[in-house]
Amino acid sequence: MKKEPSASYTPRPIKHLAALNPQQKDAVQTVEGPVLVLAGAGTGKTKVITTRIAYLLTQGVRPENILAVTFTNKAAREMRDRVGKMVGKETADAITLSTFHSFCARVLRSNADAASIRKDFTLCDSADQSSLMRSVLRELRVPEKQVQPSAAISRISLWKNQLLTPKEALDAAGDPWEEYVAHAFRRYEEQLRRNRVLDFDDLLLFALRLFQENEAVRKKYAKYFQWIMVDEY
């Protein structure tokens, strides 16, 4: 979370509402309760989100109370640039606007004790994952022709996003291949924890568990980020 701004902050009016169609304008100006925008590619969903951020600022919302998240660094930069053109770079920089993974990493490092992890954890990239999985499969004496490391990593990622533990994955295994991967999942997790490493799925999973299980942390962020924008929901 960022430092509080000076009391002299004054929202700038925006002139972009006229460029929106009625449905887009309705989404931008609805500021109470949840808003879901469903539309095809290239129809202006990101435009709606960035304009809504600017509109909220004109309604007296503090930039520090806005959280906007998206999937890629490129998309996050584009969103920040768009907002900056409407409200000014300094104001845009006061908004927490990042990727899901970057936001979750910040939350975990700021609340490492509550999340039961080391604050100095490192991230496991795709190359590290492949190397680790090959090592795990060798330990289990599973030939690569039987279980490809990349396929195992993909399945483990799916299980993590389904919030399954290695034991639950093993219990749900539908064939020998899934059983092999579930055993690899257990060893893979043990190695990550032993080396104080998180993979990118862990960033989301550990942050989710932190918010679910720690009421104090959840309330702190809920009070701080009162408006949350999610691109590519």
Side-chain angles (χ1 to χ4, degrees):
M1 294 188 292
K2 298 183 180 180
K3 185 179 178 181
E4 285 293 330
S6 66
S8 61
Y9 166 71
T10 302
R12 286 170 43 169
I14 62 171
K15 303 176 182 178
H16 298 268
L17 291 178
L20 304 178
N21 64 37
Q23 292 80 12
Q24 291 173 329
K25 190 177 296 185
D26 186 39
V28 166
Q29 295 180 304
T30 301
V31 296
E32 295 296 331
V35 176
L36 175 64
V37 176
L38 292 174
T43 54
K45 295 187 296 296
T46 301
K47 180 180 181 181
V48 167
I49 289 177
T50 53
T51 306
R52 188 168 190 260
I53 291 172
Y55 180 79
L56 286 170
L57 295 171
T58 69
Q59 304 306 298
V61 174
R62 309 292 299 189
E64 290 76 16
N65 295 136
I66 296 175
L67 168 65
V69 288
T70 187
F71 273 99
T72 67
N73 290 319
K74 180 181 178 181
R77 287 193 299 270
E78 180 182 349
M79 286 179 66
R80 187 175 296 282
D81 289 343
R82 290 191 186 191
V83 173
K85 290 176 182 177
M86 286 186 274
V87 303
K89 184 178 184 303
E90 183 177 353
T91 300
D93 286 345
I95 298 167
T96 299
L97 200 165
S98 70
T99 64
F100 291 95
H101 296 93
S102 177
F103 173 70
C104 289
R106 267 182 280 166
V107 168
L108 292 173
R109 292 194 191 282
S110 297
N111 302 275
D113 289 342
S116 300
I117 58 175
R118 292 282 297 264
K119 185 177 182 179
D120 60 347
F121 68 81
T122 57
L123 285 177
C124 180
D125 61 20
S126 58
D128 294 330
Q129 283 183 294
S130 295
S131 177
L132 177 55
M133 183 53 63
R134 286 190 173 88
S135 174
V136 164
L137 292 174
R138 282 196 299 270
E139 287 181 21
L140 295 174
R141 298 183 178 180
V142 178
E144 282 195 25
K145 64 180 180 180
Q146 193 164 9
V147 177
Q148 289 287 330
S150 59
I153 290 168
S154 294
R155 182 54 60 92
I156 289 170
S157 177
L158 177 62
W159 282 334
K160 286 191 176 187
N161 279 275
Q162 293 174 334
L163 308 182
L164 296 181
T165 64
K167 183 180 183 304
E168 290 168 335
L170 180 59
D171 290 341
D175 55 47
W177 185 87
E178 287 191 339
E179 290 181 7
Y180 287 132
V181 178
H183 286 298
F185 185 10
R186 179 177 61 82
R187 292 285 186 94
Y188 173 80
E189 289 292 281
E190 290 173 351
Q191 291 284 358
L192 290 179
R193 301 295 86 80
R194 185 177 298 118
N195 294 314
R196 300 194 298 273
V197 174
L198 301 184
D199 65 21
F200 281 91
D201 291 315
D202 285 333
L203 293 178
L204 307 181
L205 184 59
F206 278 53
L208 174 63
R209 287 177 178 166
L210 174 64
F211 286 134
Q212 288 177 330
E213 298 171 3
N214 192 300
E215 185 178 10
V217 172
R218 182 172 67 249
K219 285 184 174 180
K220 177 178 69 173
Y221 282 89
K223 181 179 180 180
Y224 197 83
F225 294 120
Q226 298 174 25
W227 284 267
I228 301 175
M229 254 62 67
V230 182
D231 198 12
E232 302 291 351
Y233 175 85

